[in-house]
Amino acid sequence: MKTAVYPGSFDPITLGHLDIIQRSSRIFDKLIIAVVKNHSKKPLFSINERVNMIKKCVTDLPNVKVDHFEGLLVNYASLLGAQVIVKGLRAVSDFEYEFQMALLNRKMQPEIETMFMMTNHKYSYLSSSMVKEIAGLGGCIRDLVPDIILGDIKNKFHEKQGENK
Ligand code: PNS
């Protein structure tokens, strides 16, 4: 049984992430989407909010599970018995950082492979940060994130506006 982990911040999940999830779920027997809990970037959405938004987007993919983790990714992947870490690559600008992480992860756990999947060209410009910036400034994020989480994102910004009043 081939198990893969797809890690990330998913703050929030975008259509680019969902495309990688759909494509890799067809390659591996089991795909675990692993939302990182403690990260240097301060997330907009809590860990539970991010996990729940992803769960809503993958209900039609029976071999996909959503989880969260803290600490080193390779330790978490080993505990799960995963053989592969899946990463999406959008542009050359992603490459250097991803290459560095893949090599360091292999140094720590040589038996776990990192596999890169090229993004669908439709989403090569897309990032969670841009989604947050556009939504925060009142722009339209339809076609950037799954429709089913549009309401969650809208509510979060309403909540934030309320806090700032
Ligand atoms: O979506 P992101 O923010 O680009 O995801 C980055 C992530 C979560 C994959 C990366 O920060 C990570 O693996 N964090 C876990 C801590 C870890 O293992 N660090 C060592 C990497 S060499």
Side-chain angles (χ1 to χ4, degrees):
M1 167 129 154
K2 286 272 175 255
T3 302
V5 176
Y6 177 40
S9 308
F10 303 103
D11 187 40
I13 183 171
T14 67
L15 285 178
H17 293 130
L18 190 57
D19 174 67
I20 299 285
I21 293 166
Q22 287 162 338
R23 285 159 56 206
S24 42
S25 73
R26 294 197 286 268
I27 297 172
F28 300 101
D29 300 303
K30 190 169 173 190
L31 179 71
I32 293 147
I33 306 171
V35 185
V36 68
K37 199 167 171 193
N38 285 344
H39 199 275
S40 42
K41 304 176 205 165
K42 192 181 169 340
L44 173 65
F45 293 92
S46 72
I47 190 75
N48 286 336
E49 288 169 334
R50 286 179 279 153
V51 165
N52 288 334
M53 281 191 284
I54 301 170
K55 281 186 177 167
K56 287 192 206 176
C57 303
V58 298
T59 49
D60 59 332
L61 301 171
N63 63 335
V64 174
K65 300 280 169 276
V66 190
D67 192 13
H68 57 81
F69 74 104
E70 265 182 285
L72 283 177
L73 171 62
V74 284
N75 291 350
Y76 168 77
S78 298
L79 275 175
L80 291 176
Q83 298 87 354
V84 174
I85 293 169
V86 172
K87 289 293 192 79
L89 268 188
R90 286 166 303 190
V92 183
S93 51
D94 281 344
F95 181 77
E96 210 168 323
Y97 178 57
E98 292 295 345
F99 185 59
Q100 182 184 23
M101 280 200 290
L103 294 186
L104 285 166
N105 282 335
R106 190 162 70 201
K107 176 151 179 48
M108 291 185 278
Q109 287 283 0
E111 65 281 12
I112 299 179
E113 281 295 339
T114 300
M115 292 197 167
F116 291 101
M117 195 171 264
M118 297 310 296
T119 185
N120 185 319
H121 67 92
K122 286 193 289 189
Y123 307 125
S124 56
Y125 55 85
L126 194 49
S127 69
S128 299
S129 322
M130 283 300 170
V131 165
K132 283 181 283 191
E133 179 159 336
I134 295 169
L137 295 170
C140 177
I141 54 166
R142 195 173 289 281
D143 297 334
L144 305 183
V145 299
D147 283 349
I148 197 148
I149 65 160
L150 278 170
D152 296 292
I153 299 175
K154 226 170 153 181
N155 290 344
K156 174 61 77 178
F157 281 101
H158 279 156
E159 210 178 276
K160 286 241 143 221
Q161 275 169 1
E163 279 169 22
N164 295 337
K165 271 185 188 162

